[in-house]
Amino acid sequence: MRAYLIDDERLAVERLTRMLNATGRVTIVGSSTDPEEALEFLHSHPVEVLFLDIQMPGLTGFELLERLDTQAAVVFTTAYDRYAIEAFSVNSVDYLLKPIEAERLDKALDKLARFAGQPRPDVRALARELAAELAPNRRLERIASRVGERTTVLDVARIGYFSSKDKLTFAVVNGHEHVIDHTLTELEARLDPRRFARIHRATIVNIAFVQELFPAVDGGVLVRLKDEKKTELTVARDRVSELKERLGI
C-alpha cells in the first residue's frame, strides 16, 4: 500500500514512519507537517492510504479532506481519546490514538488489507459528520476568571498549569492563581492534549512550561516550570511514563 503521513508534529511523523517501516506492509511515498503542502502533493500523487492527524493549526484533518478528491483509505491519528470516533471506523476509515501502539497499528493495517479493492464510502461525507459530532468539544483557547464583578480573560497558552484544591480550580499564570469555573476533568476533555498533560489527580501542566524533571526525596518525580517562581509540581507515579513520552524523553 502506498501511504502518505500528515501530522503537524515532526516527532509524531518520524515515530509513525519508523513503526510503519518496521511492519514492511506499506510504502511511504511522502509525509508532511504542513497540511497545505500535503494537499499540493496529494493532488498530483494518488495514494492508497492517508495517516491523517485530526487537530492541526490552520487546517484540520477534516478540512483537508474537504479539499481533497481522493479514494484513499483514511486512518485518523489523534491524541483525543474522548472523541467517539470508533463509530465512524467503517470500510476505509479507522483511527489510532496517540501515542500509537504497534499492536493497534497492525490491526489497522489488517483492516486496510481486508477491505482492499472493495467500494469505499464517501470519506469527505464521513469527515463532515465526524467534525459536526465533535464540534462541541473544540479545544479551549481562552478561559474566564470571575471575581465579583470583574472578569479576567486568560489566554490558555500563557497558563503554566491548572490545579485543584479546597474544591476550587485555579489557572496559574506566573505564580498568580485565578479561580475558574471548570473542573480538571472538564479541562482535560477540552484542552489540547498535545499542549497539556494531566500529571496528578490535582494538576494539569502546560508542557511548554516544563523545564526539568528530577527525583523527589520520596522517590517520586517532580517537574520544575519555566515560570518566574520556578514552580515545582509533583508527578503521580503512574503518569511519569506518559509525561516523558509527551516530552520526547
Side-chain angles (χ1 to χ4, degrees), residues 107-177:
K107 289 182 179 179
L109 294 176
D110 288 342
K111 183 174 184 178
L112 291 171
R114 190 165 61 248
F115 286 101
Q118 295 188 21
R120 290 172 178 158
D122 184 342
V123 175
R124 288 182 295 177
L126 284 171
R128 285 194 295 271
E129 187 177 353
L130 182 52
E133 180 73 16
L134 303 180
N137 292 320
R138 286 177 181 160
R139 66 188 182 194
L140 289 170
E141 296 182 357
R142 285 169 295 278
I143 291 179
S145 173
R146 300 178 180 87
V147 178
E149 296 183 356
R150 174 176 295 183
T151 299
T152 303
V153 179
L154 305 173
D155 183 347
V156 166
R158 297 182 60 235
I159 297 172
Y161 66 99
F162 296 91
S163 66
S164 176
K165 59 183 178 181
D166 300 327
K167 297 183 180 181
L168 295 174
T169 303
F170 299 89
V172 185
V173 181
N174 281 328
H176 300 290
E177 296 182 335

Coordinates of all heavy atoms in Angstrom, one line a residue, residues 107-177:
K107 N -3.4 -3.9 13.7 CA -4.8 -4.1 13.5 C -5.4 -3.2 12.4 O -6.3 -3.6 11.6 CB -5.6 -4.0 14.8 CG -5.3 -5.1 15.8 CD -6.1 -4.9 17.1 CE -5.9 -6.0 18.1 NZ -6.6 -5.8 19.3
A108 N -5.0 -1.9 12.4 CA -5.4 -1.0 11.4 C -5.0 -1.4 10.0 O -5.7 -1.4 9.0 CB -4.9 0.4 11.7
L109 N -3.7 -1.9 9.9 CA -3.2 -2.4 8.6 C -4.0 -3.7 8.2 O -4.2 -3.8 7.0 CB -1.7 -2.7 8.7 CG -0.8 -1.4 9.0 CD1 0.6 -1.8 9.1 CD2 -1.0 -0.4 7.8
D110 N -4.3 -4.5 9.1 CA -5.1 -5.7 8.8 C -6.5 -5.3 8.2 O -7.0 -5.9 7.2 CB -5.4 -6.5 10.1 CG -4.1 -7.3 10.5 OD1 -3.2 -7.4 9.7 OD2 -4.1 -7.7 11.7
K111 N -7.1 -4.3 8.8 CA -8.4 -3.8 8.3 C -8.2 -3.2 6.9 O -9.1 -3.5 6.1 CB -8.9 -2.7 9.3 CG -10.3 -2.2 8.9 CD -10.8 -1.3 10.0 CE -12.2 -0.9 9.7 NZ -12.7 0.0 10.8
L112 N -7.2 -2.4 6.7 CA -7.0 -1.9 5.4 C -6.8 -3.0 4.3 O -7.3 -2.9 3.2 CB -5.7 -1.0 5.4 CG -5.9 0.3 6.2 CD1 -4.5 1.0 6.3 CD2 -6.9 1.3 5.5
A113 N -6.1 -4.0 4.7 CA -5.8 -5.1 3.7 C -7.1 -5.9 3.5 O -7.4 -6.3 2.4 CB -4.8 -6.1 4.3
R114 N -7.9 -6.0 4.5 CA -9.2 -6.8 4.4 C -10.2 -6.1 3.4 O -10.9 -6.7 2.7 CB -9.8 -6.9 5.8 CG -11.0 -7.9 5.8 CD -11.3 -8.2 7.3 NE -11.7 -7.1 8.1 CZ -10.9 -6.7 9.1 NH1 -9.8 -7.2 9.4 NH2 -11.3 -5.6 9.9
F115 N -10.1 -4.7 3.4 CA -11.1 -4.0 2.6 C -10.5 -3.5 1.3 O -11.1 -2.8 0.5 CB -11.6 -2.8 3.4 CG -12.6 -3.2 4.4 CD1 -12.3 -3.2 5.8 CD2 -13.9 -3.5 4.1 CE1 -13.2 -3.6 6.7 CE2 -14.9 -3.9 5.1 CZ -14.5 -3.9 6.4
A116 N -9.2 -3.9 1.0 CA -8.6 -3.5 -0.2 C -9.4 -4.0 -1.4 O -9.8 -5.1 -1.5 CB -7.2 -4.1 -0.3
G117 N -9.6 -3.1 -2.4 CA -10.3 -3.4 -3.6 C -11.8 -3.3 -3.5 O -12.5 -3.4 -4.5
Q118 N -12.4 -3.1 -2.3 CA -13.8 -3.0 -2.1 C -14.3 -1.6 -2.3 O -13.5 -0.6 -2.1 CB -14.2 -3.5 -0.8 CG -14.0 -5.0 -0.6 CD -14.6 -5.5 0.7 OE1 -15.5 -4.9 1.3 NE2 -14.1 -6.7 1.2
P119 N -15.5 -1.4 -2.7 CA -16.0 0.0 -2.8 C -15.9 0.7 -1.4 O -16.2 0.2 -0.4 CB -17.5 -0.2 -3.1 CG -17.6 -1.5 -3.7 CD -16.5 -2.4 -3.0
R120 N -15.5 2.0 -1.5 CA -15.3 2.8 -0.3 C -16.3 3.8 -0.1 O -16.9 4.3 -1.1 CB -13.9 3.4 -0.4 CG -12.7 2.4 -0.2 CD -11.4 3.0 -0.5 NE -10.4 2.0 -0.3 CZ -9.2 2.1 -0.8 NH1 -8.8 3.1 -1.6 NH2 -8.3 1.1 -0.6
P121 N -16.6 4.2 1.1 CA -17.6 5.2 1.4 C -17.1 6.6 1.0 O -15.9 6.8 0.7 CB -17.8 5.1 2.9 CG -16.5 4.6 3.4 CD -16.0 3.7 2.3
D122 N -18.0 7.6 1.0 CA -17.6 8.9 0.8 C -16.8 9.5 2.0 O -17.5 9.8 3.0 CB -18.8 9.8 0.5 CG -18.5 11.2 0.1 OD1 -17.3 11.7 0.4 OD2 -19.3 11.9 -0.4
V123 N -15.5 9.4 1.9 CA -14.7 9.8 3.1 C -15.0 11.2 3.5 O -15.0 11.5 4.7 CB -13.2 9.6 2.8 CG1 -12.3 10.1 3.9 CG2 -12.9 8.1 2.5
R124 N -15.2 12.1 2.6 CA -15.4 13.5 2.9 C -16.7 13.7 3.7 O -16.9 14.5 4.6 CB -15.4 14.4 1.7 CG -14.0 14.6 1.1 CD -13.9 15.5 -0.1 NE -14.7 14.9 -1.2 CZ -14.8 15.5 -2.4 NH1 -14.4 16.7 -2.6 NH2 -15.5 14.9 -3.4
A125 N -17.7 12.9 3.3 CA -19.0 13.0 4.0 C -18.9 12.5 5.4 O -19.4 13.0 6.3 CB -20.1 12.2 3.2
L126 N -18.1 11.4 5.6 CA -17.9 10.9 6.9 C -17.1 11.9 7.8 O -17.4 12.0 8.9 CB -17.1 9.6 6.8 CG -17.9 8.3 6.4 CD1 -17.0 7.2 6.1 CD2 -19.0 7.9 7.4
A127 N -16.2 12.6 7.1 CA -15.4 13.6 7.9 C -16.3 14.7 8.3 O -16.1 15.2 9.4 CB -14.2 14.1 7.0
R128 N -17.2 15.1 7.5 CA -18.1 16.2 7.8 C -19.0 15.8 9.0 O -19.2 16.6 9.9 CB -19.0 16.6 6.6 CG -18.3 17.4 5.6 CD -19.2 18.0 4.6 NE -20.0 17.0 3.8 CZ -19.6 16.5 2.7 NH1 -18.4 16.9 2.1 NH2 -20.3 15.6 2.0
E129 N -19.5 14.5 9.0 CA -20.3 14.0 10.0 C -19.5 14.0 11.3 O -20.1 14.4 12.4 CB -20.8 12.7 9.6 CG -21.9 12.1 10.6 CD -22.4 10.8 10.2 OE1 -22.1 10.3 9.0 OE2 -23.2 10.2 10.9
L130 N -18.3 13.5 11.3 CA -17.5 13.4 12.5 C -17.2 14.8 13.0 O -17.2 15.0 14.2 CB -16.2 12.6 12.1 CG -15.2 12.4 13.3 CD1 -15.9 11.7 14.5 CD2 -14.1 11.5 12.8
A131 N -16.8 15.7 12.1 CA -16.5 17.1 12.6 C -17.7 17.7 13.3 O -17.5 18.4 14.3 CB -16.1 17.9 11.4
A132 N -18.9 17.5 12.7 CA -20.1 18.0 13.4 C -20.3 17.4 14.7 O -20.8 18.1 15.7 CB -21.3 17.8 12.5
E133 N -20.1 16.1 14.8 CA -20.3 15.4 16.1 C -19.3 15.9 17.2 O -19.7 16.0 18.3 CB -20.0 13.9 15.9 CG -20.2 13.0 17.1 CD -21.6 12.8 17.5 OE1 -22.5 13.1 16.7 OE2 -21.9 12.4 18.6
L134 N -18.1 16.3 16.8 CA -17.1 16.7 17.7 C -17.1 18.2 18.0 O -16.3 18.6 18.8 CB -15.7 16.2 17.2 CG -15.6 14.7 17.0 CD1 -14.2 14.4 16.5 CD2 -15.9 13.9 18.2
A135 N -17.9 18.9 17.2 CA -17.8 20.4 17.3 C -17.9 20.9 18.8 O -17.2 21.9 19.2 CB -18.9 21.0 16.4
P136 N -18.8 20.4 19.6 CA -19.0 20.9 21.0 C -17.7 20.8 21.8 O -17.6 21.4 22.8 CB -20.1 20.1 21.5 CG -20.9 19.6 20.4 CD -19.8 19.4 19.3
N137 N -16.8 19.9 21.4 CA -15.6 19.6 22.2 C -14.4 20.3 21.7 O -13.3 19.9 22.0 CB -15.4 18.1 22.2 CG -16.5 17.3 23.0 OD1 -16.9 17.8 24.0 ND2 -16.9 16.2 22.4
R138 N -14.5 21.3 20.9 CA -13.4 22.1 20.4 C -12.5 22.6 21.5 O -13.0 22.9 22.6 CB -13.8 23.2 19.5 CG -14.3 22.8 18.1 CD -14.8 23.9 17.3 NE -15.3 23.5 16.0 CZ -16.1 24.2 15.3 NH1 -16.5 25.4 15.7 NH2 -16.5 23.7 14.1
R139 N -11.2 22.6 21.3 CA -10.3 22.9 22.4 C -10.5 24.4 22.9 O -10.8 25.2 22.1 CB -8.9 22.7 21.9 CG -8.4 23.6 20.8 CD -7.1 23.1 20.3 NE -6.5 24.0 19.3 CZ -5.5 23.7 18.5 NH1 -5.0 22.5 18.6 NH2 -5.1 24.6 17.6
L140 N -10.1 24.6 24.1 CA -10.2 25.9 24.7 C -9.0 26.7 24.3 O -7.9 26.2 24.3 CB -10.2 25.7 26.2 CG -11.5 25.2 26.9 CD1 -11.2 24.9 28.4 CD2 -12.7 26.1 26.7
E141 N -9.2 28.0 24.0 CA -8.2 28.9 23.7 C -8.1 30.1 24.7 O -7.1 30.6 24.9 CB -8.3 29.5 22.3 CG -8.2 28.4 21.2 CD -8.3 29.0 19.8 OE1 -8.5 30.2 19.7 OE2 -8.2 28.2 18.9
R142 N -9.3 30.3 25.4 CA -9.3 31.4 26.4 C -10.2 30.9 27.5 O -11.2 30.1 27.3 CB -9.9 32.7 25.8 CG -8.9 33.4 25.0 CD -9.6 34.6 24.2 NE -10.5 34.0 23.2 CZ -10.2 33.6 22.0 NH1 -8.9 33.6 21.7 NH2 -11.1 33.1 21.2
I143 N -10.0 31.3 28.7 CA -10.7 30.9 29.9 C -11.0 32.2 30.7 O -10.1 33.0 30.9 CB -10.0 29.9 30.7 CG1 -9.9 28.5 30.0 CG2 -10.7 29.6 32.1 CD1 -9.2 27.5 30.7
A144 N -12.2 32.3 31.2 CA -12.6 33.4 32.0 C -12.5 33.1 33.5 O -12.8 32.1 34.0 CB -14.1 33.8 31.7
S145 N -11.9 34.1 34.2 CA -11.8 34.0 35.7 C -12.7 35.2 36.2 O -12.4 36.4 36.0 CB -10.4 34.2 36.1 OG -10.3 34.3 37.5
R146 N -13.7 34.8 37.0 CA -14.6 35.8 37.5 C -14.5 36.0 39.0 O -14.6 35.0 39.8 CB -16.1 35.5 37.2 CG -16.3 35.4 35.7 CD -17.8 34.9 35.4 NE -18.0 34.8 34.0 CZ -17.8 33.7 33.2 NH1 -17.3 32.7 33.8 NH2 -18.0 33.7 31.9
V147 N -14.2 37.2 39.4 CA -14.1 37.5 40.9 C -15.0 38.8 41.1 O -14.7 39.9 40.6 CB -12.7 37.8 41.3 CG1 -12.6 38.2 42.8 CG2 -11.8 36.6 41.0
G148 N -16.1 38.6 41.8 CA -17.0 39.6 42.0 C -17.6 40.1 40.6 O -18.1 39.3 39.9
E149 N -17.5 41.4 40.4 CA -18.0 41.9 39.1 C -16.9 42.0 38.1 O -17.1 42.5 36.9 CB -18.6 43.3 39.3 CG -19.8 43.3 40.3 CD -20.4 44.7 40.4 OE1 -19.9 45.6 39.9 OE2 -21.5 44.8 41.1
R150 N -15.7 41.6 38.4 CA -14.6 41.7 37.5 C -14.3 40.3 36.8 O -14.3 39.3 37.5 CB -13.3 42.1 38.2 CG -12.1 42.1 37.3 CD -10.8 42.6 38.0 NE -11.0 44.0 38.3 CZ -10.0 44.8 38.9 NH1 -8.9 44.2 39.3 NH2 -10.2 46.1 39.1
T151 N -14.2 40.3 35.5 CA -13.9 39.1 34.7 C -12.5 39.3 34.0 O -12.3 40.3 33.3 CB -15.0 38.8 33.7 OG1 -16.2 38.6 34.3 CG2 -14.6 37.6 32.8
T152 N -11.6 38.4 34.2 CA -10.3 38.4 33.6 C -10.3 37.3 32.5 O -10.6 36.1 32.9 CB -9.2 38.2 34.6 OG1 -9.2 39.2 35.6 CG2 -7.8 38.2 33.9
V153 N -9.9 37.6 31.3 CA -9.9 36.6 30.2 C -8.4 36.2 30.1 O -7.5 37.0 29.9 CB -10.4 37.2 28.9 CG1 -10.2 36.1 27.8 CG2 -11.8 37.6 29.0
L154 N -8.2 34.9 30.3 CA -6.8 34.3 30.3 C -6.6 33.6 29.0 O -7.4 32.8 28.5 CB -6.7 33.3 31.4 CG -7.0 33.8 32.8 CD1 -6.9 32.7 33.8 CD2 -6.0 34.9 33.2
D155 N -5.4 33.8 28.4 CA -5.0 33.1 27.2 C -4.5 31.8 27.6 O -3.5 31.7 28.4 CB -3.9 33.9 26.5 CG -3.4 33.3 25.2 OD1 -3.8 32.1 25.0 OD2 -2.7 33.9 24.4
V156 N -5.1 30.7 27.2 CA -4.7 29.3 27.7 C -3.2 29.1 27.4 O -2.6 28.4 28.3 CB -5.6 28.3 26.9 CG1 -5.0 26.9 27.1 CG2 -7.0 28.3 27.5
A157 N -2.7 29.5 26.4 CA -1.2 29.3 26.1 C -0.3 29.9 27.1 O 0.8 29.4 27.3 CB -0.9 29.8 24.7
R158 N -0.8 30.9 27.9 CA 0.1 31.5 28.9 C -0.1 30.9 30.3 O 0.6 31.3 31.2 CB -0.2 33.0 28.9 CG 0.1 33.7 27.6 CD -0.2 35.2 27.7 NE 0.7 35.8 28.8 CZ 0.2 36.5 29.8 NH1 -1.1 36.7 29.9 NH2 1.0 37.1 30.7
I159 N -1.0 30.0 30.4 CA -1.3 29.3 31.7 C -0.2 28.2 31.9 O -0.1 27.3 31.1 CB -2.7 28.8 31.7 CG1 -3.7 29.9 31.6 CG2 -2.9 28.0 33.0 CD1 -5.1 29.4 31.5
G160 N 0.5 28.3 33.0 CA 1.5 27.3 33.3 C 1.0 26.0 33.7 O 1.5 24.9 33.3
Y161 N -0.1 26.1 34.5 CA -0.7 24.8 35.0 C -2.1 25.1 35.6 O -2.4 26.3 35.9 CB 0.2 24.0 36.0 CG 0.4 24.7 37.3 CD1 -0.3 24.4 38.4 CD2 1.4 25.7 37.5 CE1 -0.1 25.0 39.7 CE2 1.6 26.3 38.7 CZ 0.9 25.9 39.8 OH 1.1 26.5 41.0
F162 N -2.9 24.1 35.7 CA -4.2 24.2 36.4 C -4.1 23.3 37.7 O -3.5 22.2 37.6 CB -5.3 23.6 35.5 CG -5.5 24.5 34.3 CD1 -4.8 24.1 33.1 CD2 -6.4 25.5 34.3 CE1 -5.0 24.9 31.9 CE2 -6.6 26.3 33.1 CZ -5.9 25.9 31.9
S163 N -4.7 23.7 38.7 CA -4.6 22.9 39.9 C -6.0 23.0 40.6 O -6.8 23.9 40.4 CB -3.6 23.4 40.9 OG -3.9 24.7 41.4
S164 N -6.2 22.0 41.4 CA -7.5 21.9 42.2 C -7.2 21.7 43.7 O -6.4 20.9 44.0 CB -8.3 20.6 41.7 OG -9.5 20.5 42.5
K165 N -7.8 22.6 44.5 CA -7.7 22.5 45.9 C -8.8 23.2 46.6 O -9.4 24.1 46.1 CB -6.3 23.1 46.4 CG -6.1 24.5 46.0 CD -4.8 25.0 46.4 CE -4.5 26.5 46.0 NZ -3.2 27.0 46.4
D166 N -9.2 22.6 47.7 CA -10.3 23.2 48.5 C -11.6 23.3 47.7 O -12.3 24.4 47.8 CB -9.9 24.5 49.1 CG -8.7 24.4 50.1 OD1 -8.6 23.4 50.7 OD2 -7.9 25.4 50.1
K167 N -11.8 22.4 46.8 CA -13.0 22.3 45.9 C -13.0 23.5 44.9 O -14.1 23.8 44.3 CB -14.3 22.4 46.8 CG -14.4 21.1 47.7 CD -15.7 21.2 48.5 CE -15.8 19.9 49.4 NZ -17.1 19.9 50.1
L168 N -11.9 24.1 44.7 CA -11.8 25.2 43.7 C -10.8 24.8 42.6 O -9.8 24.0 42.9 CB -11.4 26.5 44.3 CG -12.4 27.1 45.3 CD1 -11.8 28.4 45.9 CD2 -13.7 27.5 44.6
T169 N -10.9 25.3 41.4 CA -10.0 25.1 40.3 C -9.3 26.4 40.0 O -9.9 27.4 39.9 CB -10.6 24.5 39.1 OG1 -11.3 23.3 39.4 CG2 -9.6 24.2 38.0
F170 N -8.0 26.3 39.9 CA -7.2 27.5 39.6 C -6.4 27.4 38.3 O -5.8 26.3 38.0 CB -6.2 27.8 40.7 CG -6.8 28.0 42.1 CD1 -7.1 26.9 42.9 CD2 -7.2 29.3 42.5 CE1 -7.7 27.1 44.2 CE2 -7.7 29.5 43.7 CZ -8.0 28.4 44.6
A171 N -6.3 28.5 37.5 CA -5.4 28.6 36.4 C -4.3 29.4 36.9 O -4.5 30.6 37.4 CB -6.1 29.2 35.2
V172 N -3.1 29.0 36.8 CA -1.9 29.7 37.4 C -1.0 30.3 36.3 O -0.5 29.5 35.4 CB -1.1 28.7 38.3 CG1 0.0 29.5 39.0 CG2 -2.0 28.0 39.3
V173 N -0.9 31.6 36.3 CA -0.1 32.3 35.3 C 1.0 33.0 36.1 O 0.8 33.9 36.9 CB -0.9 33.3 34.5 CG1 0.0 34.0 33.5 CG2 -2.1 32.6 33.9
N174 N 2.3 32.6 35.8 CA 3.4 33.2 36.5 C 3.3 33.2 38.0 O 3.5 34.2 38.7 CB 3.7 34.6 36.0 CG 4.5 34.6 34.7 OD1 5.3 33.7 34.4 ND2 4.2 35.5 33.8
G175 N 2.7 32.2 38.6 CA 2.6 32.0 40.0 C 1.3 32.7 40.6 O 1.0 32.5 41.7
H176 N 0.6 33.4 39.7 CA -0.7 34.0 40.2 C -1.9 33.1 39.9 O -2.1 32.7 38.8 CB -0.8 35.4 39.5 CG 0.3 36.3 39.7 ND1 0.5 36.9 40.9 CD2 1.3 36.8 38.9 CE1 1.5 37.7 40.8 NE2 2.0 37.7 39.6
E177 N -2.6 32.9 40.9 CA -3.8 32.0 40.8 C -5.0 32.7 40.4 O -5.3 33.8 41.0 CB -4.0 31.2 42.1 CG -2.9 30.3 42.5 CD -3.2 29.6 43.8 OE1 -4.0 30.1 44.6 OE2 -2.6 28.5 44.0

